[in-house]
Amino acid sequence: MSNKHFCQGPHCHERVTQDRFLKSRGVIRGRYAILPRDHDSEYYGRGKYFCSTGCEGAWLDEHMQSIEHGRPIEFIRHRRESQGYEKVTEENDWGRNYTCIKRVDNRTEID
């Protein structure tokens, strides 16, 4: 098991980036937090819970009312995933190939 918490950001597992993509299962996964659990820092202690300040701000935006009202907020203890992605190679306007990650629609519609 890792020495880091999973990122608590509410949308971390939905952002499509190369480092979040797991090719073998076709999923986008949330990142680990920046700092390990045992890191002791007065400067950036929140780094133990978030992978970036963007995820930190999104979490605060989503949970601010719960904090103000004293309601408990669930701590994420498992790595969240978004299903249905694949890595594809396409050609741009200049004839060069590039790789990107795209959402795949696996639904089959029967008429």
Side-chain angles (χ1 to χ4, degrees):
M1 177 148 205
S2 175
N3 191 25
K4 295 182 177 184
H5 289 294
F6 297 113
C7 179
Q8 301 297 304
H11 308 292
C12 186
H13 66 291
E14 297 170 355
R15 294 189 179 133
V16 180
T17 60
Q18 294 287 333
D19 66 324
R20 290 181 171 111
F21 181 65
L22 181 62
K23 185 177 179 180
S24 64
R25 293 184 32 219
V27 298
I28 300 292
R29 302 186 303 179
R31 289 179 176 162
Y32 285 107
I34 295 171
L35 301 174
R37 295 178 189 188
D38 57 355
H39 183 78
D40 190 22
S41 170
E42 293 179 19
Y43 175 68
Y44 189 60
R46 297 177 306 265
K48 290 194 262 186
Y49 306 104
F50 301 100
C51 69
S52 67
T53 55
C55 280
E56 180 182 338
W59 182 89
L60 196 56
D61 289 344
E62 187 167 302
H63 296 293
M64 185 51 89
Q65 283 190 339
S66 295
I67 293 168
E68 288 175 348
H69 295 273
R71 294 186 295 244
I73 300 167
E74 180 184 356
F75 187 79
I76 298 166
R77 299 187 189 284
H78 64 282
R79 189 173 225 175
R80 296 175 297 171
E81 298 179 344
S82 296
Q83 303 286 331
Y85 289 87
E86 70 177 357
K87 188 178 268 192
V88 294
T89 302
E90 296 182 346
E91 190 173 302
N92 63 14
D93 296 338
W94 303 282
R96 294 191 171 233
N97 290 338
Y98 68 96
T99 304
C100 62
I101 300 169
K102 290 196 171 186
R103 186 112 174 114
V104 178
D105 188 8
N106 291 331
R107 294 179 291 162
T108 56
E109 297 182 20
I110 301 172
D111 292 326

